[in-house]
Amino acid sequence: MELDDYVLISALQHHAYCPRQCALIHVEQTFDENLYTLRGHRVHETVNIPEYELIEGVRVERALPLWSHRLGLTGIADVVEFYVDGTPYPVEYKSGPRKPREADELQLCAQAICLEEMTGHSVPTGAIFHHASRRRREVQFGDKLRSLVVKTTQQVRSLLATAQLPPPVADERCPDCSLIETCMPYAITAFTRVSQANDLFRIEGDA
């Protein structure tokens, strides 16, 4: 696999949240800021500088590059803690409140799969650090979540290859998305619904 064919781990998170958001960012190179992305940047200021330190015998690496040649994944982990026996424990920083989100767990599991391939150690768990509550939420990397990482990687690779923009989801995810002005989910969905109802683009004589 060529390096250009590697999928960014962050793209998995974007695709799991919304396939159209993933395409706008990774196909059309679109990016806008909103309150949530600005909060995210601020939270990551503390972990975006590559460095390490020892805390009570645990080596803590920040901004650690990751890769999986098996799946063709690459990315950067916010924090990885290495315990005395060498077992990695990835920690992903999020600015939002402490609540489960499959997209975040998928991103963390992809990091774990990379660390397993890089270190040869099993990585059964990791954590998401929610800055708003200053608390961690531990995530178990079971077979279902690992399979979802593989499936989503294939979906993202296909999306990048076809460069097709998926339709908008137009649901409760949209108000929090920084790309809502570019995506126009509600306008496009309404237009599609009206045009289909009125059959505007049917050519006379077609079945």
Side-chain angles (χ1 to χ4, degrees):
M1 184 179 299
E2 300 294 330
L3 187 59
D4 288 345
D5 295 328
Y6 278 51
V7 172
L8 291 173
I9 293 173
S10 60
L12 304 187
Q13 196 268 352
H14 295 141
H15 191 278
Y17 184 76
C18 170
R20 185 175 172 89
Q21 183 199 65
C22 180
L24 286 169
I25 295 173
H26 298 280
V27 175
E28 300 201 351
Q29 309 298 312
T30 301
F31 191 80
D32 292 322
E33 299 281 15
N34 67 1
L35 177 62
Y36 301 106
T37 60
L38 292 173
R39 284 177 177 170
H41 292 326
R42 186 168 184 179
V43 167
H44 283 82
E45 285 177 354
T46 59
V47 292
N48 277 348
I49 300 174
E51 61 180 5
Y52 79 95
E53 62 179 329
L54 284 174
I55 301 177
E56 298 181 354
V58 176
R59 191 174 92 243
V60 180
E61 297 269 2
R62 296 184 176 84
L64 183 68
L66 301 174
W67 63 87
S68 166
H69 298 311
R70 180 175 66 86
L71 294 183
L73 287 173
T74 186
I76 296 177
D78 289 337
V79 170
V80 180
E81 298 171 351
F82 289 89
Y83 296 111
V84 176
D85 67 353
T87 299
Y89 187 88
V91 182
E92 174 67 21
Y93 278 51
K94 297 296 180 187
S95 62
R98 187 175 181 270
K99 61 181 181 181
R101 283 194 0 172
E102 187 177 69
D104 296 341
E105 295 176 1
L106 179 78
Q107 180 183 18
L108 187 66
C109 185
Q111 295 176 12
I113 291 173
C114 290
L115 287 165
E116 288 178 338
E117 186 173 323
M118 293 166 61
T119 66
H121 286 273
S122 176
V123 184
T125 57
I128 296 174
F129 175 77
H130 296 274
H131 191 264
S133 60
R134 307 273 180 172
R135 295 177 63 190
R136 287 186 177 188
R137 179 171 59 84
E138 188 161 271
V139 178
Q140 307 282 334
F141 304 131
D143 292 341
K144 183 179 178 182
L145 189 55
R146 289 172 182 271
S147 295
L148 189 58
V149 170
V150 175
K151 179 181 178 182
T152 307
T153 301
Q154 294 167 345
Q155 290 174 332
V156 172
R157 184 167 288 114
S158 175
L159 176 68
L160 297 177
T162 59
Q164 294 289 319
L165 196 62
V169 293
D171 61 17
E172 69 278 1
R173 289 169 281 183
C174 298
D176 293 341
C177 180
S178 65
L179 302 183
I180 189 170
E181 298 294 333
T182 303
C183 179
M184 298 189 293
Y186 304 115
I188 291 175
T189 301
F191 175 78
T192 301
R193 186 166 51 244
V194 170
S195 66
Q196 289 175 343
N198 294 336
D199 208 7
L200 293 176
F201 299 105
R202 186 175 63 84
I203 299 174
E204 290 294 334
D206 282 0

